């Protein structure tokens, strides 16, 4: 499975010139622990996290953000993202295409992927997937059942 299949594409972002308070408000309102920081062309220049807001001195996002960013491409395997999140002890990776922010994958996205399943009723094809595909990738059938419960293959 690839990143593009589970990434969140409607990403809340911050700008470098926003105040620390504005970043805190965004994090709180959206119940997030971190936000990508982008410039006017939607190029990523950093990430601002709860840790940055409460633990760093400065008045603007640009003053407190973390400038080093870990990112992946949309065709990166989910297993690689899982490895990055676990081994680098981070909560999210940004998804970039040609240097532009197109999505984000968080630990929560990976957890949701584990519980969301779909089953093609025509050929009993079973897969974990964040969203219901319009057609079965194996046979093209439109008879797809989606569940948040575990459905064993071939059932």
């Amino acid at each position: 499975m690839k990143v593009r299949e589970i990434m969140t594409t409607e990403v809340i972002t911050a700008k470098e010139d926003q105040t620390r308070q504005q970043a805190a408000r965004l994090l709180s309102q959206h119940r997030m622990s971190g936000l990508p920081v982008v410039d006017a062309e939607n190029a990523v220049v950093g990430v601002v996290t709860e840790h940055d807001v409460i633990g760093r001195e400065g008045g603007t996002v640009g003053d407190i953000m973390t400038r080093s960013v870990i990112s992946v491409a949309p065709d990166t395997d989910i297993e690689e993202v899982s490895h990055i999140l676990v081994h680098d002890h981070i909560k999210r990776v940004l998804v970039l295409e040609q240097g532009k922010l197109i999505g984000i994958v968080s630990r929560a996205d990976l957890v949701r992927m584990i519980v969301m399943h779909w089953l093609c009723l025509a050929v009993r094809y079973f897969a974990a997937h964040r969203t219901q595909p319009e057609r079965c990738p194996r046979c093209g059938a439109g008879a797809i059942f989606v569940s948040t419960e575990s459905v064993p293959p071939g059932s």
Side-chain angles (χ1 to χ4, degrees), residues 9-23:
T9 56
E10 294 181 23
V11 182
I12 308 296
T13 61
K15 302 280 187 187
E16 281 185 278
D17 62 350
Q18 286 182 295
T19 67
R20 174 191 197 143
Q21 290 78 17
Q22 288 171 317

Side-chain angles (χ1 to χ4, degrees), residues 83-140:
H83 179 81
I84 291 168
L85 294 175
V86 170
H87 293 289
D88 289 338
H89 304 285
I90 58 175
K91 295 183 180 180
R92 74 206 56 77
V93 293
L94 306 183
V95 183
L96 304 181
E97 192 166 59
Q98 297 177 351
K100 303 293 185 213
L101 179 66
I102 63 164
I104 192 166
V105 176
S106 69
R107 290 179 184 175
D109 292 319
L110 294 180
V111 170
R112 275 191 297 275
M113 181 192 75
I114 290 169
V115 299
M116 177 61 108
H117 299 87
W118 57 268
L119 172 69
C120 173
L121 300 176
V123 294
R124 311 302 264 179
Y125 180 63
F126 171 79
H129 206 278
R130 181 171 173 211
T131 58
Q132 178 178 348
E134 291 184 26
R135 302 219 164 268
C136 173
R138 182 166 285 174
C139 74

Side-chain angles (χ1 to χ4, degrees), residues 3-94:
V3 165
R4 74 171 66 254
E5 297 176 70
I6 70 158
M7 70 183 185
T8 299
T9 56
E10 294 181 23
V11 182
I12 308 296
T13 61
K15 302 280 187 187
E16 281 185 278
D17 62 350
Q18 286 182 295
T19 67
R20 174 191 197 143
Q21 290 78 17
Q22 288 171 317
R25 187 175 301 113
L26 282 170
L27 290 168
S28 177
Q29 282 177 334
H30 297 284
R31 297 177 184 247
M32 299 168 66
S33 61
L35 299 167
V37 181
V38 296
D39 64 16
E41 288 79 40
N42 208 34
V44 175
V45 294
V47 174
V48 64
T49 67
E50 293 168 325
H51 180 271
D52 298 327
V53 169
I54 64 174
R56 292 192 175 179
E57 296 295 321
T60 67
V61 170
D63 295 335
I64 63 171
M65 71 181 186
T66 300
R67 293 190 182 274
S68 60
V69 174
I70 297 175
S71 65
V72 296
D75 290 325
T76 304
D77 287 328
I78 295 303
E79 293 80 20
E80 184 178 339
V81 172
S82 179
H83 179 81
I84 291 168
L85 294 175
V86 170
H87 293 289
D88 289 338
H89 304 285
I90 58 175
K91 295 183 180 180
R92 74 206 56 77
V93 293
L94 306 183

Side-chain angles (χ1 to χ4, degrees), residues 138-150:
R138 182 166 285 174
C139 74
I144 302 219
F145 171 74
V146 175
S147 173
T148 55
E149 299 298 319
S150 180

